[in-house]
Amino acid sequence: MKSEKRIAMKNLPARLPIFPSITAWLLLDRLQAPGYAYGITFTLLGIVAVGAIISMINDTAVDIFKGY
């Protein structure tokens, strides 16, 4: 598997789906959605989170301020 370059963690924070999860939870609560809607939404967000974590592990970190 080819690793992609990304900005180092000390230069840019990780992009985990924290705010979309909070927003989805607040929206579902506001709409008084049934339980299966919560299950579907958070299952999909869980899959996205696992993909983001795998991406962070496999990518190559590049320090943008290395020469300074």
Side-chain angles (χ1 to χ4, degrees):
M1 175 183 246
K2 184 179 178 186
S3 95
E4 296 181 12
K5 293 182 181 179
R6 64 170 172 81
I7 297 175
M9 296 288 285
K10 63 183 177 181
N11 301 124
L12 185 68
R15 299 186 66 199
L16 294 175
I18 295 170
F19 291 115
S21 300
I22 293 170
T23 305
W25 173 61
L26 290 173
L27 177 69
L28 291 172
D29 187 48
R30 175 75 176 179
L31 296 175
Q32 298 176 350
Y36 67 85
Y38 282 93
I40 292 170
T41 303
F42 288 113
T43 299
L44 293 175
L45 286 170
I47 292 169
V48 170
V50 169
I53 291 170
I54 290 172
S55 175
M56 285 190 299
I57 291 171
N58 290 333
D59 291 349
T60 304
V62 176
D63 189 6
I64 59 175
F65 297 117
K66 190 174 185 177
Y68 295 104

